Amino acid sequence: MKKVYFLLTIAALGINVHGQKTVDQKVAELLSKMTLEEKVGQMVQYSGFEYATGPQQSNSAAVLEEIKKGKVGSMLNVAGADETRAFQKLAQQSRLKIPLLFGQDVIHGYRTTFPVNLGQAASWDLAMIEKSERIAATEASAYGIHWTFAPMVDIARDPRWGRVMEGSGEDTYLGTQIGLARIKGFQGKGLGSLDAVMACAKHFAAYGAAVGGRDYNSVDMSLRQLNETYLSPFKAAAEAGVATFMNSFNDINGIPATANQYIQRALLKGKWNYKGFVVSDWGSIGEMIPHGYSKDANEAAEKAILGGSDMDMESRVYMAELPKLVKEGKIDVRLVDDAAGRILTKKFEMGLFDDPYRFSNEKRQKEQTDNPENRKFGREFGSKSIVLLKNKGNILPLSKSVKTVALIGPFGKETVANHGFWSIAFKDDNQRIISQFDGIKNQLDKNSTLLYAKGCNVDDQDKSMFAEAVETAKKADVVIMTLGEGHDMSGEAKSRSNIGFSGVQEDLLKEIAKTGKPVVLMINAGRPLIFNWAADNIPAITYNWWLGTEAGNSIADVLFGAVNPGGKLPMSFPRTEGQIPIYYNHYNTGRPAKNNTDRNYVSAYIDLDNDPKFPFGYGLSYTDFKYSDMSLSSANLKGNQTLNISVTVSNTGKYDGEEVVQLYIRDLFGKVVRPVKELKGFRKVFIKKGESRKIDFNLTPEDLKFFDDDLNYDWESGEFDMMVGTNSQDVQTKRINWIK
Ligand code: BGC
């Protein structure tokens, strides 16, 4: 007993049993030495002078002076061993020598870029996603970066919103699992390891629900929906120990997220007991003035800190206003201590007080520049992200000895575009990116010929290159068309009201199809596009997203069959923009349509089928998978039992392949209505041709929980449908009864 008491006392003093101070103790000691300005300084983040993603008020000389005075806690967009070292040196000239934190958008890879995040999500491969972030963290940390502004765990049901490319799509369960895999990958063995970067769950919250899919727009929704659909991935991230959060530009039910006491104070730092810190989004504190929520910078600073924003990214409002607000007694200094303390805690955990230059290491940086192992992984990951949408007549895979292949379309010889939107570390050295043309050429037999014609530009009305493209197609045995959207057409501030092929791309496709040659269409995009004509008329279609540094090789691996595609769509693909938002886990309504074409006083459009063009979870393979023998351990369950659901999946086709087996449930009646389907599990399995595998899922009552109207999170007794299948539409169903 005495020993326990002794240990407790020691812990309370913040000293561990080995006589060393705990981080809390060190932070408290440091805070006690700091002036108010120095504390607020920790809460200030400026951008370096290269890659601004928003309006920048930067005056570089003044920023450098502020750092020397201890008035800056963090820089974003400062990277590279030499540059981070130079900035850190300035911080070491300050009175207390508190090191800077260097943040960066490491979103889908760093030096080696990987598929855009939505494409990664299409792999449904958590191990690969985690590994890609491990690599990204290793590369970024070798460039002196401490902190990435990722993962983005915003659920998004509106493909008009350009930032769907950064997330994991429309589903909360899938999005949560992927978010957790990313955090694990980034933070590796834990903060303080030389190859770990701090992760950041963003954008808190509901940024993906912007009205009309217009970036930065408002969000108005029930707290029930907010908690269940949009906040769940964030709660899981907090529980998993994500180092930081970033809030979002939007308002939620009239209160900007940046100052939202409900989500940041009551939930995140209250109920969820989160100990990391919250950075604002770029300029979002200052933007509360145009929002109409703060009349000036002074009020914006006051509301932001009261609302739980710890660090001011580029609003330049905290340093100007917070010391005044504290001196006038409007803000309790304990709020400043808490915010600065959270930031300092991370600096201690990262080991920066032991050695502020520990991440600025030229040797490591060199090793992680164009690292061949990382590229090898990138190639594999790229091929796993491709979704085969159609393969009529088994045109794919192509034989490598096809005599003449024509590659036609504006992306054939593109290099940089393959990077996708966030390619921060890219500095004009195109050589590192494998074009689609080169990837295909490298795999074609030596005696075969690869022809190329651009055909058109991505987004204008110029048809002058059509004739040459048609002539090129006529000379070929098979035509590979590469169409879609430019890498900068999806991403931040890239909302589109029309998500069809831009410019004259579809006209070009029609002209090429008229030649009668077999056509394989590859679609490059950061979001679901609408391409009904192509879907109905072109025999083979792959959805390639943007695949990163190794794009050309990944694409060729799939086209020629070295890799059998196994990706599945992480978002529903609409038939027209008029169907948006469209998502598989909708409610049934009081008048559900009986089928796709039922329009008889039901919840449907009179001029359109109900279902999407391609459903959530959809994707084909070069082989065939057959589902059979779905069975349940019991159809009647009680209390905390576990339900086992199993199904046999057989590979009945001609190739070995991977299948994503999906489990959905439906809670038939509830005190609030429940979705017609909810994903609750998936398994990605490799099955050799001719073989079968029994796949098991285990469910507990935890998986049945939902938020009711009073925001209680619980489950109810009743009937549930268990559904297993190859996508969200094509499932087998068995009903159970589960009582409390
Ligand atoms: C984006 C963030 C990003 C930040 C820093 C903002 O405009 O919304 O996601 O991390 O810029 O570049």
Side-chain angles (χ1 to χ4, degrees), residues 53 76 105 149 163 202-203 207 246 249 281-282 313 422 492:
T53 55
L76 74 147
D105 289 290
F149 305 126
R163 297 196 84 168
K202 73 184 189 186
H203 305 84
Y207 184 38
M246 181 188 291
F249 291 118
D281 203 347
W282 184 294
M313 181 194 287
W422 291 101
E492 183 172 350

Side-chain angles (χ1 to χ4, degrees), residues 240-450:
V242 69
T244 65
F245 266 57
M246 181 188 291
N247 53 38
S248 55
F249 291 118
N250 55 288
D251 69 271
I252 305 169
N253 302 338
I255 316 282
T258 308
N260 201 301
Q261 296 197 15
Y262 170 64
I263 61 162
Q264 298 193 143
R265 290 256 178 234
L267 290 183
L268 180 63
K269 293 179 177 176
K271 212 166 165 189
W272 304 352
N273 196 23
Y274 180 66
K275 299 294 182 214
F277 71 86
V278 179
V279 62
S280 79
D281 203 347
W282 184 294
S284 72
I285 301 181
E287 286 173 19
M288 293 200 292
I289 303 167
H291 262 294
Y293 190 65
S294 306
K295 66 176 185 302
D296 54 23
N298 185 268
E299 197 175 274
E302 182 180 0
K303 287 184 167 172
I305 188 160
L306 288 173
S309 291
D310 299 311
M311 188 180 273
D312 171 357
M313 181 194 287
E314 270 294 346
S315 282
R316 314 214 167 190
V317 158
Y318 270 4
M319 188 45 93
E321 305 298 334
L322 271 184
K324 258 190 283 177
L325 285 162
V326 172
K327 284 174 196 151
E328 287 164 6
K330 288 189 183 154
I331 288 295
D332 188 328
V333 72
R334 282 175 301 184
L335 285 180
V336 172
D337 287 351
D338 176 63
R342 286 169 182 266
I343 295 159
L344 291 171
T345 299
K346 293 300 161 209
K347 294 185 176 183
F348 276 110
E349 288 174 1
M350 291 294 285
L352 295 175
F353 282 98
D354 302 328
D355 176 5
Y357 306 107
R358 62 195 296 259
F359 292 88
S360 310
N361 178 326
E362 280 77 5
K363 184 166 166 283
R364 273 190 67 212
Q365 175 169 318
K366 202 155 171 255
E367 283 162 13
Q368 295 304 331
T369 301
D370 294 337
N371 179 316
E373 282 303 307
N374 299 351
R375 294 188 68 121
K376 197 166 151 228
F377 173 80
R379 173 175 183 165
E380 197 191 337
F381 197 20
S383 63
K384 298 284 170 110
S385 299
I386 293 175
V387 183
L388 179 66
L389 294 180
K390 199 175 166 189
N391 195 17
K392 201 170 154 201
N394 294 326
I395 294 195
L396 289 173
L398 300 174
S399 155
K400 289 185 179 177
S401 54
V402 180
K403 224 162 147 253
T404 309
V405 177
L407 177 66
I408 298 177
F411 301 111
K413 287 201 172 172
E414 266 286 351
T415 48
V416 182
N418 294 294
H419 267 320
F421 187 78
W422 291 101
S423 45
I424 281 285
F426 168 71
K427 295 207 170 93
D428 295 319
D429 34 1
N430 302 11
Q431 269 52 294
R432 297 184 297 117
I433 307 157
I434 310 295
S435 72
Q436 302 177 7
F437 181 88
D438 286 344
I440 294 168
K441 176 112 186 130
N442 291 343
Q443 290 201 31
L444 262 185
D445 277 357
K446 293 284 160 278
N447 298 331
S448 304
T449 308
L450 178 61

Side-chain angles (χ1 to χ4, degrees), residues 12 46 51 99 121 185 194-195 355 359 380 452 473 476 541 582 610 627 700 736:
Y46 292 133
Y51 342 77
L194 268 182
D195 61 1
D355 176 5
F359 292 88
E380 197 191 337
Y452 164 77
I541 304 177
I582 184 165
N610 287 330
Y627 283 63
T700 69
I736 61 155

